Amino acid sequence: AARAGLAEGDELRGKAPLALRGVVALAGITDLAAYAAATGCGSAVPGLLGGPPGEHPERLRRSSPIAMLPLGVPAVLVTAEHDPIVPSEQAMSFAAAAVAAGDRVELRAGP
């Protein structure tokens, strides 16, 4: 959703990013730096970035949703308190940061 906010010519932006009206994230990984871990699904983050987040701050800024705020479109975040893969803190911290940046966010947390 934040691709349209990237600079013209940025290969991640694309030639004509879709004009989205909103985002729904189900157990979304909204903060790549916080999610990066040596084990589990978080171990995919260095592969995505080409190395640990601390070694690639520009890539992190251009790919981690929390770093790209404000999105400029409403977001609905669906999370579970006891999700063993994506901690609910991902959604909660993103929601707080997005609201602080001026975005509209709805957080739906289940058991």
Side-chain angles (χ1 to χ4, degrees):
R3 284 177 41 188
L6 292 172
E8 292 277 343
D10 188 315
E11 72 272 8
L12 291 179
R13 183 178 194 273
K15 292 182 181 174
L18 293 173
L20 301 179
R21 295 191 312 178
V23 173
V24 176
L26 176 59
I29 299 167
T30 56
D31 185 341
L32 293 176
Y35 192 69
T39 61
C41 293
S43 64
V45 173
L48 173 70
L49 298 177
E55 292 180 12
H56 299 284
E58 181 60 20
R59 291 177 187 169
L60 185 67
R61 184 192 66 74
R62 293 172 47 229
S63 59
S64 185
I66 201 164
M68 298 179 78
L69 292 173
L71 298 180
V73 296
V76 176
L77 306 174
V78 182
T79 187
E81 292 177 35
H82 304 291
D83 185 330
I85 299 171
V86 181
S88 60
E89 289 81 19
Q90 283 277 319
M92 290 186 285
S93 63
F94 180 86
V99 167
D103 282 337
R104 288 187 1 226
V105 179
E106 181 182 339
L107 184 58
R108 294 187 182 189

